[in-house]
Amino acid sequence: MKNFFQFTERNTSFRQETLAGITTFLSVAYILVVNPLILSQAGMDRGAVFTATALTAILGSLLIGLLANYPIAIAPSMGLNSFFTFSVCMGMGIEWEVALTGVFIAGIIFMILSLMKIREKIINAIPEDLKHAIAAGIGFFIAFIGFKNAGIIVSNPDTFVTMGDLTSPKVALAVVGLVVTILMLVRGINGAIFYGMVITTIIGMVVGLTQIPSSIIGTIPSLAPTFGAVFPHLHEVFTPEMLAVVFTFLFVAFFDTAGALIALTSQAGIMKNNEIPKIGRALLADSSAGAIGAVLGTTTPATSVESSSGIAVGGRTGFTSVVIAICFAIALFFSPILSVITTEVTAAALIIVGGLMAMDIKNINWNRLEIVIPAFLTIIMMPLTSSVANGIAFGFILYPLSFLAQKRWKEVHPIMYVLSLLFVLYFIV
C-alpha cells in the first residue's frame, strides 16, 4: 500500500492520510444533507437522492484516488444542483427526469473529452500566473463561504454584506471553534483542523447548540425512485432549450473542476513546472462519476474544494480519497449522526483553509499590469459572484486581450484565445 500510494515519496504516513480523509469527509459531508434538500424541491425523492449522492461520492473519490493518486473528494456540486433545481426545473418548467438526462449527456461528453485528452491540454495551456490566481481566488471564495456559514458575515440591503451578530449563540460557537483551531494550528499541532471540528462539536452538544442524534444507525433509502430515470428521456434533450442547459452544465462543471484541481494539486505539492501529473486520469474519474451519478439520481459531481481541509491536515496521496470513500460508505448506514455536522462546525475549517490557499497569491507576477488585472479579477470575482467558473471567465477573457493590446499575442497559447471566445459565448448564453 505504501508503494502504491507513494507514501515515502510524498512524505506522508498511514495515520496522516487517514486523518486527512476523515477531515475532508467532515468538511464535505453536508452535501449528504443539503443535496437531497435542494433536489427534492425539483420533485425528486429525498431518500433516493441521499443514497445517490453517497454512492456518487464513493465512486468518484475511489476513482480519483486509485487512478490519479490525488487526495481529493468528488461529490455533487453545490452550484450545479441549485442551477438544476431553481433555473432549469422551476424556472424553465422542465421535468427533473429530462433535466437529469441533460446532466447525463454532459457527463458522457466529459468522458469523451477526457479520453481524447482535450481537457488535459486545456488545463496545461493555462498560464502559470492565472493558475496561481485561480488557487488564491478559490481560497478567498471558500473563506467567504465559511464566514457566511458561521453567520459572521451576513447580507445587508445597503452594503450587500456586513458583520453578523457575534453574540448570537451559534455564531459564538463558530467563533470559538475558529479561535481554538487557529491556536492549535499556530502551535504546530498535527490535525489541528480536524481536532478543531471535534472540539467545536462537543462544545455545541454540551451547551445545547448542536443536536444530539436520536439514533445512530438508520436504513439505507431505496434508489428506485431515481435510478435509471434518464434513459426513457434521451430523445427529449435534443431541443434548443435543453441543448443550452447541457452546454451550461458542461461549461460550468468543466471549469469548476479545472479550477479546483489546479488549486488543490498546487496546495498538495503535486503540480510541478506548471503541469499536473496524471491530470487526465483525474479528469476521467470526475467525468465518469458525473455520468454514473446521473443514472443513480443526482446532479453533476465535481472536485470538492473542501478537499483543501484534508490537504491542510497532511493529505498527499490517493489513500486520503480512499478513506473519504469509506467514510461516505459508512455514512449510508449512520445517516442520523450527520445532523451533528453543522455549518458552525465546519466554518472554521473553511476559513482557515481559505487563508492557506490564498497564500498562492504571492506567486503571481505583480509587476506586470497585463498579468495583474486578469489575475486580480479572477480572484475577486469568485467570492463576489459565488462562482469559480465566473472568476475564471473574467481572467480568461482579459488575459489574451491584454497581451493583444501590447502586440505580444504570440506569447499566449492559442487555446487561451479559443477559451476567451467560449467564455464570451458562455456569458451570452
Side-chain angles (χ1 to χ4, degrees):
M1 187 179 72
K2 289 181 178 180
N3 291 333
F4 180 83
F5 290 108
Q6 301 176 322
F7 278 12
T8 304
E9 292 89 333
R10 298 194 184 181
N11 193 28
T12 187
S13 65
F14 176 83
R15 178 186 177 279
Q16 186 170 304
E17 294 292 303
T18 302
L19 192 61
I22 295 172
T23 300
T24 293
F25 170 74
L26 290 175
S27 296
V28 79
Y30 70 88
I31 198 67
L32 290 170
V33 178
V34 178
N35 197 46
L37 183 64
I38 291 176
L39 296 186
S40 66
Q41 296 179 64
M44 299 181 70
D45 182 83
R46 186 178 297 186
V49 173
F50 167 81
T51 304
T53 301
L55 292 176
T56 302
I58 292 168
L59 174 69
S61 300
L62 277 177
L63 285 176
I64 199 167
L66 297 175
L67 293 179
N69 200 20
Y70 288 179
I72 287 172
I74 290 180
S77 167
M78 275 298 296
L80 287 174
N81 59 12
S82 298
F83 172 73
F84 178 95
T85 296
F86 303 114
S87 296
V88 179
C89 295
M90 297 175 68
M92 300 169 67
I94 296 173
E95 294 182 354
W96 68 264
E97 294 91 343
V98 180
L100 201 61
T101 306
V103 173
F104 175 71
I105 296 296
I108 295 297
I109 297 173
F110 260 140
M111 291 180 67
I112 295 171
L113 293 176
S114 299
L115 289 169
M116 295 174 66
K117 295 189 175 181
I118 293 175
R119 293 175 74 184
E120 183 176 352
K121 291 177 181 177
I122 290 173
I123 291 176
N124 286 332
I126 299 171
E128 187 173 359
D129 289 288
L130 282 188
K131 283 181 176 175
H132 292 307
I134 291 168
I138 291 177
F140 282 101
F141 181 29
I142 66 173
F144 180 76
I145 292 173
F147 282 117
K148 178 177 173 291
N149 288 349
I152 297 172
I153 297 296
V154 296
S155 61
N156 183 289
D158 299 319
T159 60
F160 295 106
V161 294
T162 188
M163 181 77 77
D165 181 8
L166 299 185
T167 62
S168 170
K170 288 189 175 182
V171 178
L173 176 64
V175 172
V176 169
L178 177 61
V179 172
V180 168
T181 306
I182 290 174
L183 293 177
M184 288 192 294
L185 198 65
V186 297
R187 287 282 298 173
I189 297 175
N190 292 328
I193 294 175
F194 171 71
Y195 296 137
M197 286 192 284
V198 173
I199 293 171
T200 306
T201 301
I202 293 172
I203 294 173
M205 287 181 175
V206 170
V207 300
L209 293 175
T210 301
Q211 179 183 346
I212 299 175
S214 56
S215 60
I216 296 178
I217 299 176
T219 56
I220 301 176
S222 171
L223 271 177
T226 59
F227 183 77
V230 301
F231 297 122
H233 300 275
L234 287 172
H235 65 284
E236 298 182 47
V237 299
F238 299 103
T239 64
E241 188 178 48
M242 273 306 299
L243 288 176
V245 171
V246 171
F247 172 79
T248 304
F249 277 125
L250 186 66
F251 210 69
V252 175
F254 185 108
F255 285 99
D256 269 354
T257 294
L261 280 175
I262 290 168
L264 295 170
T265 53
S266 174
Q267 182 189 2
I270 296 172
M271 186 166 67
K272 304 291 184 183
N273 301 319
N274 200 35
E275 292 192 358
I276 307 173
K278 297 183 180 179
I279 183 66
R281 295 184 181 185
L283 294 170
L284 181 61
D286 175 75
S287 55
S288 300
I292 296 172
V295 174
L296 294 174
T298 186
T299 48
T300 308
T303 300
S304 299
V305 293
E306 290 86 355
S307 303
S308 54
S309 60
I311 294 173
V313 169
R316 294 294 179 269
T317 76
F319 189 72
T320 293
S321 299
V322 172
V323 173
I324 294 167
I326 292 171
C327 289
F328 271 109
I330 294 172
L332 277 169
F333 298 93
F334 295 88
S335 56
I337 66 172
L338 289 175
S339 60
V340 171
I341 306 169
T342 64
T343 54
E344 292 81 24
V345 171
T346 60
L350 296 179
I351 294 168
I352 291 170
V353 168
L356 296 175
M357 293 179 69
M359 290 171 64
D360 233 16
I361 205 169
K362 70 179 185 294
N363 297 316
I364 299 171
N365 188 345
W366 293 103
N367 296 317
R368 295 171 58 184
L369 196 61
E370 70 275 16
I371 291 175
V372 169
I373 299 301
F376 171 73
L377 287 174
T378 298
I379 294 168
I380 198 66
M381 292 306 290
M382 287 187 190
L384 291 184
T385 64
S386 295
S387 170
V388 172
N390 285 342
I392 292 174
F394 274 86
F396 279 32
I397 291 171
L398 287 173
Y399 189 90
L401 285 178
S402 298
F403 277 77
L404 276 172
Q406 293 185 333
K407 298 181 180 179
R408 296 163 54 201
W409 58 273
K410 290 184 179 180
E411 296 179 29
V412 180
H413 197 289
I415 288 178
M416 287 298 296
Y417 292 105
V418 176
L419 293 178
S420 180
L421 292 173
L422 285 174
F423 271 117
V424 171
L425 178 62
Y426 161 69
F427 279 130
I428 294 172
V429 172

